[in-house]
Every structure is written in C-alpha cells, then in structure tokens.
Amino acid sequence: MKPFTIRDIEINPPLILSPMAGVTDYTFRRLIKRRGGVGLVVSEFISVEGLTRHNPKSKRQMRFDEEERPFAVQIFGGQPERMRMGAEMAEEVGADILDVNCGCPAPKVVRHGGGSGLLRDVPRLETILKEIKKSITIPLTLKMRIGYSDSTINAVDVAKMAVDCGVEHIQVHGRTKEQGYKGLADWDIIRAVKDAVSVPVSGNGDVTSIEYGLKKWDESGVDGVLIGRGAMQNPWIFRQFEDVINGRKPYKPDLEEKKAVLLEFFEMLIEEMPELPALGKMKQLAGQFTKGLVGGAQFRQTLYHSHSAEEILDNITIYFETLRSRNTFGDGVTEADRDIEIPSCDSFAEQSASGSG
Ligand SMILES: Cc1cc2nc3c(=O)[nH]c(=O)nc-3n(C[C@H](O)[C@H](O)[C@H](O)COP(=O)(O)O)c2cc1C
C-alpha cells in the first residue's frame, strides 16, 4: 500500500478518515489527525441548502485548521445550482478538495434528490458534477454507495460517468442505499470500480481491524481505504495501519494514553462549545471508545448519567484507576460490549438537510 495523489495532493498514508455527520467535526478530526497515520480528513456532509442560505451551522461546519491539511469539504444536495454555489464556498474557505456526497441514505436527503438519491437519477448527478467542475479549480471527488438497491447496482457506470465529468478520486462504500448499514460491504464491487476507471479509487466498509483492512485492500486493489466507525472505537487505528504497512509492529497505546486522549477530546470540546453539547459529544466518543474494554459497558452507564464536566472527568479518572489497579490494558470484550449500537447518519441528516440549528 503506497501513497497516492489526487491531482498534486499526496494522500500519505493512503488512509482516509471517512466523513461522519455529527462525528467528524473540527474537534474530532484534529483528535484523530494528531494520533497519526491519516492521509486525508473530510468534513461532515454539509447541506448546500444551508450553506447558500447562509445558515450559520452549515458555515461553521466548513471550519478547519491548517494542521488538518489535506482537508476535503463534503457537500450534499440535489439542486445543481446550489451544489455549484456550495462548492465555490468550499473553495473560498481554502479547502483542498471538494467531495460530493452520493451515499447518504437518510429519507430527508434522498427525498430532495441528494445523497444516495443521486444514484437513481444519474443524469442529475452528471449535471451537478459538470456544474461544479466548471466553477472550481480544486479537485472534485465523489463518495458513493454501490447502488440504490440490490437490483440497481450501478457503481461502475456512475464512476465512469463521474470520471468523464472530471472527478479525480472515487470513494466507494460497498453497500446499497436500501441496505443502510446492514450486512457487510461488498468489496468485489469496489474492485470492479477500481478496475473500470483510471483515477484513484478508495474502498470503504467495516474496517475495524488492521487484518480486515489489509485483506480487503489486497483483494480489491484499491488505492486507499476509508475508515469511519473504526476510528471512533480506536483513534489509533490509522497509525497502527500505517505501522503495519511499513513493516513495523502496530502501535499499542497504554492505559495512560487512552485516558489522556479522552481528556484531550474533552478539553478541545469545552473550548469549542457550551458544556451541554460538549457533554453529549464526550459521551458519544467515550461510548464507542470503551467498546471492548474491560468494564466498558458499566463505565458507559456511569458516563451517560453524568451531568457535568466535573462528574465526567471524575468518572474517567475512577474508571482508569480501576483498570490500572487490576493491572489490565483494558482489552477484552464482554457480552454487554458487543451490543453497542453505532449511530447512523440519519438522525444528523434530519437536522442538516433542513438547514436548521
Ligand atoms: C454516524 C455516521 C454518520 C455518517 N455520515 C456520513 C456523511 O456525512 N457523509 C458520508 O459520505 N458518509 C457518512 N457516513 C458513512 C461513513 O462515511 C462510511 O461510509 C460508513 O460508515 C462505512 O464505513 P465504516 O464501516 O468504516 O464506518 C456516516 C456513517 C455514520 C456511522
């Protein structure tokens, strides 16, 4: 696995933090980037309806820091004119890459012709891509699902059309819109896309371990791999992946570092937002992060019932002290830990699509 380029932008290592609405915001992206091993970060999907109507939330979602470069802004919508305007705004704020969302399955997004809705209206997608291409100079990329439904899988045709429109990187999540997050991603179709187009192709779906990521990368021949939910469970997954690619033993954070990363996240959140939403975000990450740790399920319960920053910090300290006193690294999955639900983008899409708060 070697670095690849999107025009002249080097993606090194070829590992991408997959965009996740409500998760991959300014704070989370920097937290992950600082752990190392990430070649590209992408914003949450941003509504062009919100952007072009000057919704403050949508504008805020384009904010990024120099340390994040290369940085891609992902936009979604179904109206070519608004998509063009949104793309221009992303270029204006200094994004390195403009990515079009062609995968979100949320009903509200699809109903308005955006997200994976574009997979069943390919002429509209073509118009959108051509409109955008005419008005930006930064590279245009696409993130898509493999099709709308099992009977209408069209990833290869969509990818070819996109490349003809000037798209310079195709990212494929190997599920259909109707599949949602069920089953496993189909990496054979990702491979078919890779074989069909001349631009770099990155694959995506279910990479939560280095072994699985390497296997899928090897089988599909993709240029890059996107990791979404796996990064919430393990912020070091990119670094570990990079280590293995380069023939090193994968980095293993100790307990102290695991605790420190939660605290770092919390500090960054508190700087960014009022205490209440910061608590919510903290619970979200801590919930995923402690999946698979000894006593993680119980810790999450305690955390969910914490009502202040102080209480959360105390509970984190107590939890990690307990692990230390048991002389464990914290690894070890319990039955309760296996039951954790990972959120999908739907709930966030409801807010973003309406362009409201
Ligand atoms: C909470 C959540 C929010 C998501 N939001 C987006 C999004 O805004 N844009 C996008 O292209 N994909 C979004 N996705 C899809 C992910 O980027 C990724 O394609 C999918 O989760 C499969 O990869 P994974 O198995 O590595 O998580 C989201 C997924 C989740 C779980």
Side-chain angles (χ1 to χ4, degrees), residues 84-101:
R84 180 186 62 72
M85 289 162 70
E88 284 171 356
M89 292 166 89
E91 174 155 296
E92 254 167 51
V93 299
D96 298 299
I97 291 170
L98 188 277
D99 186 50
V100 167
N101 180 303

Side-chain angles (χ1 to χ4, degrees), residues 266 270 275 278-279 306-316:
F266 199 46
I270 289 291
E275 185 164 320
L279 290 180
S306 305
H307 300 295
S308 68
E310 213 182 347
E311 225 182 308
I312 288 213
L313 293 177
D314 284 350
N315 283 325
I316 290 174

Side-chain angles (χ1 to χ4, degrees), residues 74-288:
Q74 187 190 70
I75 55 172
F76 75 94
Q79 298 305 323
E81 176 63 8
R82 299 243 170 229
M83 288 293 272
R84 180 186 62 72
M85 289 162 70
E88 284 171 356
M89 292 166 89
E91 174 155 296
E92 254 167 51
V93 299
D96 298 299
I97 291 170
L98 188 277
D99 186 50
V100 167
N101 180 303
C102 203
C104 179
K108 192 153 187 174
V109 173
V110 174
R111 225 180 5 255
H112 290 100
S116 55
L118 290 167
L119 293 175
R120 58 175 182 186
D121 190 351
V122 179
R124 180 193 286 259
L125 175 60
E126 188 172 0
T127 309
I128 288 174
L129 296 176
K130 284 181 174 160
E131 272 299 305
I132 293 177
K133 192 66 197 167
K134 273 194 293 201
S135 57
I136 59 168
T137 60
I138 54 174
L140 169 62
T141 66
L142 188 72
K143 180 165 177 286
M144 64 192 285
R145 287 190 176 231
I146 54 176
Y148 196 83
S149 67
D150 272 358
S151 56
T152 57
I153 289 176
N154 56 357
V156 169
D157 290 341
V158 172
K160 283 183 181 165
M161 177 279 290
V163 173
D164 287 344
C165 291
V167 165
E168 293 176 72
H169 177 218
I170 309 269
Q171 301 150 103
V172 189
H173 172 198
R175 288 186 174 84
T176 64
K177 181 266 172 201
E178 288 194 344
Q179 210 178 335
Y181 288 87
K182 292 199 206 81
L184 281 179
D186 184 339
W187 283 75
D188 290 341
I189 295 175
I190 298 174
R191 174 168 199 121
V193 173
K194 168 64 195 162
D195 291 344
V197 297
S198 52
V199 302
V201 171
S202 295
N204 172 227
D206 313 317
V207 176
T208 51
S209 73
I210 313 305
E211 296 73 31
Y212 193 75
L214 284 173
K215 182 170 181 287
K216 291 300 162 190
W217 164 69
D218 191 39
E219 288 170 5
S220 65
V222 288
D223 300 281
V225 169
L226 293 98
I227 302 176
R229 293 166 295 178
M232 291 164 82
Q233 291 163 27
N234 173 11
W236 292 272
I237 192 165
F238 297 98
R239 175 167 177 187
Q240 293 168 339
F241 211 133
E242 186 189 24
D243 283 341
V244 175
I245 295 170
N246 291 312
R248 296 188 293 265
K249 270 180 76 177
Y251 181 74
K252 192 168 164 59
D254 62 15
L255 268 186
E256 220 27 73
E257 208 175 340
K258 286 183 180 177
K259 178 182 164 191
V261 88
L262 275 183
L263 297 179
E264 181 184 340
F265 187 55
F266 199 46
E267 266 171 32
M268 288 162 89
L269 287 172
I270 289 291
E271 273 174 26
E272 276 308 303
M273 56 186 80
E275 185 164 320
L276 202 62
L279 290 180
K281 291 240 167 212
M282 186 63 189
K283 290 178 187 180
Q284 180 191 50
L285 182 76
Q288 294 299 324

Side-chain angles (χ1 to χ4, degrees), residues 274-350:
E275 185 164 320
L276 202 62
L279 290 180
K281 291 240 167 212
M282 186 63 189
K283 290 178 187 180
Q284 180 191 50
L285 182 76
Q288 294 299 324
F289 185 63
T290 56
K291 194 181 172 189
L293 296 192
V294 168
Q298 203 184 340
F299 171 60
R300 282 190 294 279
Q301 282 306 317
T302 320
L303 217 54
Y304 291 143
H305 295 106
S306 305
H307 300 295
S308 68
E310 213 182 347
E311 225 182 308
I312 288 213
L313 293 177
D314 284 350
N315 283 325
I316 290 174
T317 305
I318 293 168
Y319 174 63
F320 281 94
E321 280 307 320
T322 313
L323 285 182
R324 202 190 337 270
S325 67
R326 286 190 197 160
N327 211 6
T328 166
F329 270 101
D331 303 311
V333 185
T334 64
E335 278 311 307
D337 289 324
R338 285 208 179 88
D339 295 336
I340 311 257
E341 272 291 309
I342 295 181
S344 78
C345 68
D346 295 26
S347 48
F348 304 106
E350 290 297 315

Side-chain angles (χ1 to χ4, degrees), residues 8-77:
D8 54 356
I9 301 168
E10 188 175 53
I11 309 303
N12 183 14
L15 302 170
I16 302 166
L17 174 60
S18 209
M20 291 183 287
V23 180
T24 52
D25 60 9
Y26 178 62
T27 311
F28 186 80
R29 292 191 310 263
R30 285 178 302 149
L31 186 84
I32 298 295
K33 183 92 186 193
R34 288 176 191 173
R35 309 281 78 77
V38 189
L40 176 67
V41 296
V42 189
S43 71
E44 306 168 77
F45 72 165
I46 306 177
S47 162
V48 294
E49 297 298 327
L51 272 182
T52 56
R53 291 184 165 83
H54 304 290
N55 179 295
K57 181 185 168 188
S58 306
K59 290 203 137 180
R60 231 178 11 250
Q61 285 177 315
M62 289 206 297
R63 179 169 165 230
F64 69 98
D65 197 275
E66 285 301 311
E67 69 176 287
E68 296 186 55
R69 290 194 191 277
F71 169 69
V73 163
Q74 187 190 70
I75 55 172
F76 75 94

